Amino acid sequence: MTWLRERRVALAAFTFFTLLAADAWRNTISWYGWGLVALAIIVLWAIVAVRRRVDLRRIPIALGTLLGLMAASIIWSYYPSATAVGLLTTGATAFIGIVMAHTLSLEQLLRGLGVALRFIIGLSLAFELFVAAVLQRPVLPFWVSWEEPIPKAFYWSRALLFEGGRIQGIPGNANLLAFAALLGVIVFGIQLAERRVGVVAGWAWLGAALATLALTRSSTVLVAGVAALGALGVLLLARRLSTRGRLVLYGLAAAAAAGVVALALTFRETLLDLVGRSDDLTGRLDIWAAVIGLAEQRPVLGWGWVSYWAPWVEPFDDLVVIKGVTYLQAHNAWLDVLMQLGWVGLIVFTILIVTTGARVLSWSVDAPLGDTAPTPALRLLPALLLTVLVVHSLAESRLLIEAGLALLVYVAVASRARGVTVDTASVPPTRWPVAS
């Protein structure tokens, strides 16, 4: 396997596996074991940064401002100790994303993601098959002990593969597995289009990703997938148009998106019935109301950065408890930023998303010059990733942690950099130029 011979691609694959399926480690080797794995990953990327002489200051202004605001929030934080912990995890994840952006080409990112997603999808399907066919009972994470009744959300797998229920796979969560499967559809599809994988293997993995999407039945990921499909159509059409034609197309696409949102809100109950979801969006309305209530108390700079909510401090210890489960995210990245960093933070976050999106859009549509420029299919990857991340962020806060944050930072930094440094001895220099 060529990715094993390329150390940075192998490290990227291991990193994305850990970021996308962190509970696979936590459920098997405990939180302490996961902590050691995470520490090893950070150290290895630090070694890469030193050897490649990565300048960590070469990041977009909006990203630097957002990270600086997160760090400064410890001054006014309502829970400074939790903010300190959140800054460590956020800083480490952002650091990894920055180093990746400066040391991994787009083609290397594609291969690293592809390897990680194959392991996650393959192991998840095998795991669910073993649990349903051999154990024939729900499975709890190792190293934990809970008293009955145990909430359904605590189970690693509920052995529902043969019962028509939603599978959870090694991530231990149907929505997280569905998100990985959607990324798999994008990555495997691009690899097939570019003939970077064998036809049989490529279609087999694409089929496995689609099957996983069907077995997880995540409404949020389904919407993100539809948005990605729409974005793909717009990008492919825009490549055939003049600058004026593209502007008209973008305006029509924005109007169409607004119309779809309006129709979805109007016929919300019907749509929710079709996908088997409750009228309160699986408890999200109550969560959003609680988060907005907190944000109104500290509207300017928020309560202080915390990333994933810390369950041992107020107000998160009992802010939202549904069916015995204490929720630790706003299920909306934008509301989470508003609550934690106030309107100032939300404005900076919005600027980061908008400017990154503009650069990625231009770069995906305009053909770059040079023999080493990425192929047309490969240039679609950043735009499709960003589309999925942003749409997914409307119902989940995963954009602010783990894989979501790492991918956002990678796309933001790489789309701004003059070119991604690559090791020409191991891989052709596929560069990602600045969008003009």
Side-chain angles (χ1 to χ4, degrees), residues 277-358:
R277 295 294 180 267
S278 58
D279 292 343
D280 65 348
L281 301 178
T282 320
R284 282 178 173 81
L285 295 184
D286 291 336
I287 298 173
W288 294 344
V291 171
I292 291 173
L294 284 180
E296 290 174 342
Q297 297 179 38
R298 291 189 169 198
V300 180
L301 293 173
W303 289 70
W305 183 250
V306 71
S307 181
Y308 208 65
W309 297 354
W312 61 86
V313 300
E314 294 182 2
F316 305 120
D317 53 352
D318 59 355
L319 180 61
V320 181
V321 180
I322 301 175
K323 296 180 179 179
V325 178
T326 301
Y327 281 70
L328 301 177
Q329 60 156 316
H331 279 282
N332 182 298
W334 306 79
L335 288 180
D336 241 328
V337 172
L338 176 63
M339 184 270 291
Q340 297 182 41
L341 297 177
W343 282 103
V344 173
L346 184 60
I347 291 171
V348 174
F349 180 68
T350 303
I351 292 173
L352 172 62
I353 298 297
V354 171
T355 53
T356 300

Side-chain angles (χ1 to χ4, degrees), residues 182 186 222-233 235 383-385 387-388 391:
L182 178 57
I186 294 172
L222 175 62
V223 172
V226 172
L229 187 61
L232 175 62
L235 293 173
L384 295 180
L385 287 178
T387 299
V388 168
V391 175

Side-chain angles (χ1 to χ4, degrees), residues 8 15 64 77-78 87 98 116 140 144 218 245 257 304 328 358 379 388 434:
R8 287 201 298 276
T15 301
S77 174
Y78 184 80
L87 289 175
I98 293 170
L140 285 168
V144 296
S218 171
L328 301 177
R379 287 190 289 118
V388 168
V434 156

Side-chain angles (χ1 to χ4, degrees), residues 39-58:
L39 179 61
I41 290 173
I42 295 169
V43 170
L44 289 173
W45 281 113
I47 293 173
V48 171
V50 171
R51 288 185 174 179
R52 302 298 299 178
R53 298 181 181 179
V54 174
D55 186 355
L56 298 176
R57 297 170 298 178
R58 290 177 54 203

